[in-house]
Amino acid sequence: MAIPLSIQWINGQLIILNQQKLPHETEYITLNTIEDAFDAIITLKVRGAPAIGITAAFGLALAAQRHETETLEVFHHYVKKDAIYLGSSRPTAVNLVWALSRLQQSINSAKTVEDAKAQILAEAIRIHEEDEQACRNIGGYALDLLEGRTKVLTICNAGSIATAKYGTALAPFHLGKELGREFEVYACETRPVFQGARLTVWELQQAGVDVTLITDSMAAHTISAKGIEAIIVGADRIAANGDTANKIGTLNLAILAAAYNIPFYVAAPVSTFDLQIPNGKNIPIEERSAEEITYVAGQPIAPKNTKVFNPAFDVTPAHYITAIITEKGIIHPDYERNIQELLVAVK
Ligand code: MRU
């Protein structure tokens, strides 16, 4: 039993777990170029907000190593162009542009192109390492909040393979396992891409955590029939007022938590907050291809040319959220004030 990893930097090579192939095949692939990194992100070979940020960071650093110029100004120009390209791969998770801008800032004081190349790679490695520690901290805070509760529902995959390790929403289950605390996790399958069925169930099974799969439409019944005691989800972008974008279907669960009077927790590192955005209305929501809905496992399930609406994320208004769990501490309402306070304290 082991917690699976999705991103590894080994001897100067970026190796990722191909999440498209799970759960049938555990395939690791090497991303050699910036185009490889872009493709891996857009095709969901790697997904989950922190994991796409880390992959983009390594993609940018890899490309930077190959730029041939002696002039710092030209080098900065290349890096900026590359960052814009990678940043356009997926629009909702802010961790992507957060990581890319951290890398760009890391070379501001470089004196030579060689320096800048070393610094940009070092920053990508740092982002990767910091995320593992952040997720472990999130797990610790989440365990405190979940004290006395064992039956927990989640959606999508906000796990180890969506981050450097441990995950955000799944961190308390992995950390709980290490510390001898058992949970009964219920995973929504997460239509249309099935991150719950394919990824969360696989990941928790790998780690020896008890997990039960349900379809998304079974959530309300399961809460009452199985006595679910809390819901915990990840996040792709959290606005300044606490409104939270996460995988489509998250909002349904938040409304159910309120109806059944159980806590609804969001777990996310501080890199997922976007204080430039005042509220959820301004969060860009990715829309993906119609085929994700009209086909299941390669088979058509709807008439040809069916009109489809396929938003990949929804926004949960802050007032449904019981607490936001970060690596720096737990944020309770009033979110507008307390998010600001925590994030300013961090800087
Ligand atoms: O489309 P995906 O699979 O990238 O969506 C992922 C999610 O919505 C996760 O819950 C979120 O990114 C948090 S991952 C720790």
Side-chain angles (χ1 to χ4, degrees), residues 66-125:
R66 295 197 185 125
H67 288 315
E68 284 181 20
T69 172
E70 295 297 315
T71 324
L72 262 174
E73 205 187 333
V74 176
F75 184 76
H76 279 282
H77 169 75
Y78 286 151
V79 170
K80 191 173 170 194
K81 230 174 99 198
D82 289 345
I84 291 170
Y85 167 65
L86 282 166
S88 69
S89 54
R90 294 191 73 190
T92 303
V94 75
N95 309 60
L96 180 64
V97 285
W98 169 85
L100 293 168
S101 78
R102 239 183 90 165
L103 258 66
Q104 286 173 272
Q105 280 165 27
S106 77
I107 56 173
N108 278 347
S109 58
K111 298 277 179 285
T112 64
V113 170
E114 280 319 299
D115 261 9
K117 285 185 178 180
Q119 280 169 20
I120 203 165
L121 180 58
E123 189 70 359
I125 293 171

Side-chain angles (χ1 to χ4, degrees), residues 19 44 46-52 90 93 95 135 155-159 162-163 167-169 193 195 199 233-236 245-248 250 267-269 272 286 288 312-313:
Q19 299 189 35
L44 310 184
V46 61
R47 29 67 49 207
I52 62 178
R90 294 191 73 190
N95 309 60
C135 290
I155 187 167
C156 194
N157 173 270
T163 61
T168 56
V193 181
Q195 289 95 333
L199 308 178
V233 301
D236 287 85
N246 191 49
K247 181 52 55 195
I248 193 74
T250 300
T272 304
E286 177 181 8
R288 295 185 61 89
F313 302 94

